[in-house]
Amino acid sequence: ARDFSAVAFRFAVDLHNALNVPIGIISCNWGATSASCWMGEEYIAKDPETRIYLDEYNEIIKSQDAERYENDIVKYEDELQAWAQRREKVPFNPEDVGAYFMDQSAGPWPWPIPMGPKSPMRPAGLYNSMVKKLIPYTIKGVIFYQGESDTHRPYAYRKLFANMIQNWRDSWKNPQLPFLFVQISSFGNWGREMGEEWAVLRDSQLYVAKNIPNTSMVVSIDHGDRENIHPINKRPIGERLALAARAVVYGENIEYSGPIY
């Protein structure tokens, strides 16, 4: 369970308790990724504001030396393996999960991953390598928690995220596929100035919730962590997603959202 999505686990437990039927969850995630990683190229290219993700990537690989890139990948994987070995020595106390995730004795996570054809950060990369493998399966809906990696283009996110949802609905041939998502949380950005980008991206997420049918947005700002971009308290987020599913997907007449202006 430690390596599974805690939000998805809590969501499934709450939904199971409410509906008294088994809830299956397929975990399909990769951290620190843009929404552009999770959609096909044709959907990224739909609009000039979102096509920039493809243009930037193509500019990088146009002049890329293939041999040097392969060497960079090998070097990165060696650094990641060395970090993982150091991390294994960090004691894990279930009574203080926060201390485990905040422990920096293994050093910083090796970053960034070299950008190129093998990078999970490339546009359409995770859609082609992960999402497409799931498309034959029948699914009831999607819960999605992402956005931090697109705060550098917070206004364009309205179109990027909307196109991604449309892409998945088209892929599953289900125009009403329920899409429940989490608004990005609060964060101190390690003391650096953030400007308005995070706030604008939250507003873009709200815009999608208001304008794309069969979606629902869960607020998480009250459970953020000033020092950790991945807030540790996942339980309320999973609980709120379960409430949204019960109302939006299963039609229960329950209070599942705070007031929307």
Side-chain angles (χ1 to χ4, degrees):
R2 191 169 81 189
D3 295 323
F4 195 79
S5 165
V7 167
F9 171 77
R10 190 69 248 169
F11 165 82
V13 168
D14 274 32
L15 204 53
H16 168 71
N17 290 339
L19 302 178
N20 198 31
V21 294
I23 303 296
I25 297 288
I26 299 174
S27 177
C28 180
N29 46 62
W30 196 294
T33 48
S34 162
S36 64
C37 304
W38 297 99
M39 51 200 293
E41 288 190 12
E42 64 272 29
Y43 289 85
I44 303 173
K46 267 189 172 185
D47 188 276
E49 283 188 67
T50 59
R51 192 166 55 236
I52 190 171
Y53 285 90
L54 283 174
D55 294 341
E56 286 181 344
Y57 173 70
N58 290 331
E59 195 63 32
I60 289 171
I61 63 172
K62 185 170 64 176
S63 56
Q64 194 170 62
D65 181 275
E67 186 176 350
R68 182 176 178 180
Y69 174 69
E70 289 296 332
N71 290 336
D72 288 344
I73 287 289
V74 171
K75 181 181 176 183
Y76 175 80
E77 289 176 347
D78 288 344
E79 291 174 354
L80 189 60
Q81 186 175 12
W83 179 89
Q85 290 171 349
R86 295 193 302 271
R87 186 66 173 163
E88 284 178 359
K89 299 175 183 177
V90 176
F92 178 76
N93 178 7
E95 301 300 320
D96 191 2
V97 177
Y100 174 79
F101 285 104
M102 294 296 287
D103 189 291
Q104 295 294 312
S105 59
W109 176 283
W111 194 260
I113 301 172
M115 179 54 76
K118 293 183 177 180
S119 171
M121 327 306 278
R122 72 192 187 277
L126 296 175
Y127 176 78
N128 289 323
S129 62
M130 294 179 74
V131 177
K132 276 189 173 180
K133 296 175 182 178
L134 305 178
I135 290 170
Y137 291 93
T138 300
I139 61 172
K140 184 74 172 179
V142 177
I143 57 173
F144 193 73
Y145 192 168
Q146 183 274 338
E148 296 87 348
S149 293
D150 286 308
T151 50
H152 62 301
R153 293 195 178 100
Y155 290 100
Y157 193 77
R158 294 184 178 195
K159 294 178 179 177
L160 187 72
F161 190 30
N163 288 349
M164 196 205 88
I165 293 173
Q166 186 62 54
N167 186 173
W168 286 36
R169 287 176 170 176
D170 290 347
S171 295
W172 265 275
K173 296 181 173 58
N174 181 359
Q176 297 300 316
L177 181 69
F179 223 95
L180 316 177
F181 61 93
V182 182
Q183 190 183 45
I184 60 172
S185 197
S186 48
F187 175 54
N189 203 32
W190 300 291
R192 296 196 298 269
E193 181 61 51
M194 284 195 298
E196 64 178 20
E197 290 86 0
W198 281 52
V200 174
L201 191 123
R202 288 189 196 100
D203 190 60
S204 292
Q205 291 177 306
L206 177 61
Y207 177 89
V208 170
K210 285 181 172 181
N211 290 277
I212 304 296
N214 231 30
T215 64
S216 184
M217 185 187 77
V218 162
V219 171
S220 72
I221 196 168
D222 55 326
H223 288 287
D225 189 318
R226 180 177 179 82
E227 304 299 329
N228 192 346
I229 197 168
H230 299 289
I232 289 163
N233 190 12
K234 313 290 189 186
R235 182 168 184 149
I237 313 307
E239 290 171 345
R240 292 171 186 181
L241 283 166
L243 286 172
R246 289 170 60 188
V248 174
V249 183
Y250 295 94
E252 289 189 43
N253 184 22
I254 59 173
E255 189 171 319
Y256 69 98
S257 170
I260 302 292
Y261 175 75

